[in-house]
Amino acid sequence: MKFSENWLRTFVDPPLSAHDLGHVLTMAGIEVESIEPAAASFNKVVVAEVLSVRKHPNADLLRVCEVNAGAAAGAPLQIVCGAANVREGVKVPCALPGAQLPGITISHAAIRGVESAGMLCSARELGLSDVAPGLLLLPGDAPVGLDFRRYYELEDNIFTLKLTPNRGDCLGMTGVAREVAAITSAKLEPLEIIPVEVQIGEGLAINVDAPGACPLYCGRVVRDVNLDATTPDWLIRRLGRSGLRGVNVVVDITNYVMLETGQPLHAFDLDKIAGALSGSIHVRYSKAGEALKLLNGENLALQPDMLVIADQVKPLALAGIMGGDESGVGAGTKDLFLESAFFSPDVIAGKSFSLGFSSDSAYRFERGVDFSQTRNALERATRLITNICGGRSGAIREFKGRLPGHDPICLRLSRAQRVLGIDLEERTAAQLLQRLQLSFTGTEGVFNVKPPPYRFDLAIEEDLIEELARVYGYDNIPAAVPRARLSMLPEPETGRTLPQLRQILVGRDYQEVINYSFVDPAWEHELAGNNKPVALKNPLSSQMAVMRSSLFGSLIANLGFNLNRKQTRVRLFEIGCCFEGLGDAVAQQEKLGGLCYGDVLAEQWGAPARDVDFYDVKADIEALFWPRAVRVVSASHPALHPGKSAQICLGDRIAGYLGELHPRWRQKLGLPKSAVLFELEIDMLTDRPLPKAAEISKYPPIRRDIAVVVPENVAVQTTLDRMRGEKIPLISEIHLFDVYRGAGVEAGKKSLAFRMLLQDTEKTLTDAEADRTVAKLLSVLESEFGATLRNH
């Protein structure tokens, strides 16, 4: 939205400079994108009259003019001019000797032997236009000798607003002026609408076949319009400074009223409407096979969702967007049908985008226009047309259906104070609402506010609170230091948060990844053994057609992605949801998955290179569960190596799986070495027992190491569980520290070496007591597992 500052000040004139006015508008949410002068800087240019014109004696294309430049020049000036449109009696801008124009200084000069005291100017030479066919001709009533900048109102600034889509009410000068008045408390001079006297009884019947799309339509006939009339300079200037060019006097006036009120209008050539005065105007959706040539020259095949203005035979215009070329006002037009309507924003919104072009009308209608001023805008346009072009007007014919309504909004002063953080008095809040021209009733700190028809963006209490803040002034809201009670927040000891789990893994050199929950159906079958995954009704692609029940597929894909980018050491983890179908329902469970590949440590000189193995990752899992101890039990999983995979058990519950990648997937990915993966249930990781206090012994511990030979099929975990299950008070720790097969151990058996720490809280243990305790455990191993003590 562009407009002239001088034009704005005819409605409201706050005691602010252009810069300050731009600042207060921006701070009130009406962003001023730029403020530019209306014209380049120049001086000593006056309105002058050409008294006579004669041929230059030494040049065929030059003329010698006698010019009356007023009192500033004294006697008439002799000026040599080459413009083709110079003639006796015209009034033009004249740069006097010494004038500073954009890029040039005017002085006395001899042109082809003839003295010239000044220059007659075109719009381009004054910086008013990029192209000019000749001198800038001024109206005959322009006062000779008057400073041209003053006459042409060039001491002006062009404001460009960058409006948000919700502020369609500021797409007209009356709306901007209303906003300025509310923000600055300056007096608003509203636009005076004087109805035009009805001089003819003719008119077109209005038939609205789509009242939901067009709840208000006004039209009137204006006869005997002189389209050859000249558009007044003041109107052309305001159009130009708003970014619109002149077309013809009627179109210029409808464009001007649109800029003035925010209400788009359209003028039809009455003679091009089928049936003329015996016919009617129809507002309807287009019919199959209809086409329309628009004013921009585009031939449009109309779609069923396009609203049109039509006569009894054909479409005349694309409603709210653009008129038709065949019914537009042009040379030879004498009689008009003027239209002013309100079209539902939902009907117009999106049409410009689909059509590939926009228009000033569509830009306003899709944001919502003030339907309370639809009739007034038509009266305003009619008066300007009859004043400038002549003509006789008929009565306004109107269709009025169900217009949009606003329910009153309850505004609680206490709520506003809490949101804004200021002690807003009830009287102050009422004054702010009055400045915004919002009607309301209220008692005891509660206002029932009725939004005006031009504010489509006011719907809830928070909208009104925002309005109070805007008009009160964001600069006036104090920047208070936040105050809060300093207190220690409780941290439960029986739980562990996801950020804590992440931190443990990051501390162990893992990096987190985030993947889609949609996966390839083949992954679910081959990696999770899930033949009935949860299928998507509208998958993004065939490779993302089902919901995952395991994190393994995504982690393996991440590994391939990294290896393809020359990464040789990969340590990843993901926390995400997995899904399982339960009949018509879907169960959702959060899991933590991880993958390790390559060296156990980053390449360095301090430690020899070694590939990561099952037990390295097992240590990472134990760190996640600490201080609880987990058991690792041999088990199979579709994604894992049949002989190198296990269940992670916590008590009697299965917490997850751990193992090397299955050989077929290693072959499929072309991996030179295997990867180790794990997957754990989050709810078993986040739950932990409350720590229990225990007495710390003051007496030294005794260490005993034993090595026993057991059959190969005896699991280490089973022997540990059995020994710990004895719960002998004197034993504080039992750990396996060696497994041996080879010389000295017969085939089919293996040697297991255990470390035991014995300690009493009341006394120092004797060797005899320690030996009796160890002997008790040996007897358990011998009786249940056929173990024999290894002596060498």
Side-chain angles (χ1 to χ4, degrees), residues 8-321:
L8 173 65
R9 291 187 184 274
T10 62
F11 292 97
V12 60
D13 190 12
L16 299 172
S17 66
H19 179 270
D20 291 341
L21 179 58
H23 175 74
V24 298
L25 279 171
T26 299
M27 292 305 297
I30 309 298
E31 182 181 353
V32 177
E33 189 172 17
S34 65
I35 302 175
E36 299 173 347
S41 177
F42 60 83
N43 61 7
K44 299 187 73 173
V45 179
V46 298
V47 176
E49 181 180 9
V50 178
L51 301 177
S52 65
V53 178
R54 69 178 188 275
K55 184 178 178 300
H56 192 289
N58 301 319
D60 293 338
L61 298 180
L62 297 179
R63 301 289 185 272
V64 180
C65 305
E66 185 179 3
V67 177
N68 175 15
L77 303 175
Q78 178 176 285
I79 298 176
V80 177
C81 178
N85 63 339
V86 65
R87 62 183 184 274
E88 184 179 323
V90 297
K91 291 184 178 179
V92 294
C94 176
L96 302 176
Q100 297 286 338
L101 302 186
I104 186 173
T105 299
I106 305 302
S107 60
H108 289 276
I111 301 177
R112 293 288 186 95
V114 177
E115 290 293 325
S116 180
M119 185 175 74
L120 304 183
C121 302
S122 67
R124 184 177 61 181
E125 290 160 341
L126 295 175
L128 303 179
S129 174
D130 294 331
V131 179
L135 298 178
L136 177 58
L137 302 181
L138 304 178
D141 59 355
V144 174
L146 182 65
D147 183 280
F148 179 73
R149 293 189 69 89
R150 179 181 172 190
Y151 171 75
Y152 224 64
E153 298 180 356
L154 295 181
E155 300 303 333
D156 193 7
N157 292 294
I158 308 300
F159 280 64
T160 301
L161 303 183
K162 189 177 182 181
L163 294 171
T164 51
N166 64 312
R167 293 312 303 270
D169 59 298
C170 290
L171 289 171
M173 288 304 305
T174 55
V176 176
R178 184 170 52 229
E179 191 73 12
V180 171
I183 296 167
T184 65
S185 298
K187 183 181 179 182
L188 177 66
E189 297 290 345
L191 181 66
E192 185 180 7
I193 303 294
I194 303 175
V196 175
E197 181 182 351
V198 176
Q199 297 172 305
I200 57 176
E202 301 167 326
L204 294 178
I206 308 297
N207 295 306
V208 177
D209 302 329
C214 178
L216 179 60
Y217 190 95
C218 302
R220 80 179 336 153
V221 169
V222 182
R223 282 195 171 277
D224 302 328
V225 173
N226 178 18
L227 206 66
D228 294 327
T230 302
T231 304
D233 279 358
W234 61 267
L235 196 151
I236 287 292
R237 285 198 297 272
R238 289 180 176 178
L239 287 178
R241 293 174 193 179
S242 298
L244 298 182
R245 61 179 181 84
V247 179
N248 60 53
V249 63
V250 171
V251 174
D252 293 345
I253 289 171
T254 57
N255 283 339
Y256 175 80
V257 174
M258 177 187 69
L259 293 173
E260 188 175 53
T261 65
Q263 169 68 54
L265 301 101
H266 188 64
F268 297 92
D269 187 331
L270 185 62
D271 292 337
K272 297 178 182 178
I273 297 176
L277 295 179
S278 62
S280 58
I281 289 291
H282 295 263
V283 184
R284 59 172 174 81
Y285 284 103
S286 61
K287 300 176 181 178
E290 286 188 322
L292 178 65
K293 183 178 181 181
L294 300 175
L295 286 172
N296 62 1
E298 182 171 341
N299 290 300
L300 184 65
L302 298 176
Q303 301 302 315
D305 64 340
M306 292 181 176
L307 192 69
V308 297
I309 311 299
D311 58 20
Q312 295 172 312
V313 177
K314 62 186 181 300
L316 303 173
L318 193 57
I321 299 177

Side-chain angles (χ1 to χ4, degrees), residues 471-730:
V471 181
Y472 183 81
Y474 295 116
D475 290 339
N476 297 323
I477 298 177
V481 178
R483 292 182 297 173
R485 176 179 295 177
L486 292 176
S487 59
M488 295 293 291
L489 297 177
E491 183 174 345
E493 295 183 85
T494 57
R496 183 183 280 123
T497 64
L498 293 184
Q500 288 174 329
L501 295 175
R502 288 187 174 97
Q503 193 59 46
I504 292 171
L505 289 173
V506 169
R508 301 184 75 87
D509 208 15
Y510 285 78
Q511 291 183 319
E512 185 175 12
V513 294
I514 300 175
N515 295 296
Y516 284 111
S517 297
F518 318 133
V519 296
D520 192 324
W523 290 4
E524 282 297 295
H525 173 68
E526 297 180 26
L527 292 173
N530 184 8
N531 295 321
K532 292 183 179 180
V534 178
L536 296 173
K537 293 182 178 179
N538 54 341
L540 298 175
S541 67
S542 60
Q543 288 77 32
M544 304 176 76
V546 299
M547 303 297 288
R548 66 186 178 186
S549 63
S550 171
L551 302 177
F552 282 157
S554 301
L555 290 169
I556 293 171
N558 294 146
L559 174 62
F561 183 88
N562 280 271
L563 295 178
N564 290 338
R565 284 153 182 81
K566 307 302 181 183
Q567 299 299 310
T568 58
R569 182 174 181 268
V570 181
R571 296 173 69 87
L572 305 174
F573 78 93
E574 179 178 12
I575 296 176
C577 289
C578 295
F579 304 84
E580 183 180 355
L582 298 175
D584 295 333
V586 176
Q588 177 176 309
Q589 185 178 26
E590 202 164 17
K591 296 183 179 181
L592 186 153
L595 178 147
C596 291
Y597 174 87
D599 292 343
V600 66
L601 298 174
E603 187 175 2
Q604 57 171 293
W605 59 267
R610 178 175 67 83
D611 291 340
V612 68
D613 61 22
F614 179 97
Y615 297 100
D616 294 318
V617 180
K618 176 175 174 286
D620 296 333
I621 294 173
E622 289 175 338
L624 287 169
F625 281 98
W626 188 89
R628 293 174 298 172
V630 295
R631 295 184 301 109
V632 179
V633 180
S634 177
S636 62
H637 188 282
L640 304 178
H641 193 296
K644 299 179 180 179
S645 60
Q647 287 178 343
I648 306 299
C649 298
L650 187 65
D652 297 330
R653 297 174 60 191
I654 299 174
Y657 287 87
L658 164 66
E660 288 189 7
L661 183 63
H662 198 286
R664 68 170 175 269
W665 279 94
R666 177 178 171 181
Q667 182 180 8
K668 189 173 184 179
L669 293 174
L671 302 179
K673 57 188 74 173
S674 188
V676 182
L677 300 93
F678 67 90
E679 184 176 71
L680 307 169
E681 295 184 11
I682 285 291
D683 59 348
M684 299 186 70
L685 285 168
T686 55
D687 183 30
R688 62 179 178 180
L690 185 69
K692 294 181 180 180
E695 184 179 356
I696 298 176
S697 177
K698 296 180 290 183
Y699 303 98
I702 294 177
R703 172 171 172 167
R704 290 285 189 269
D705 294 343
I706 61 171
V708 294
V709 177
V710 298
E712 186 67 54
N713 62 355
V714 174
V716 173
Q717 187 67 54
T718 305
T719 61
L720 285 171
D721 290 344
R722 184 65 186 86
M723 286 190 290
R724 290 168 181 166
E726 286 294 304
K727 296 182 180 181
I728 299 175
L730 295 181

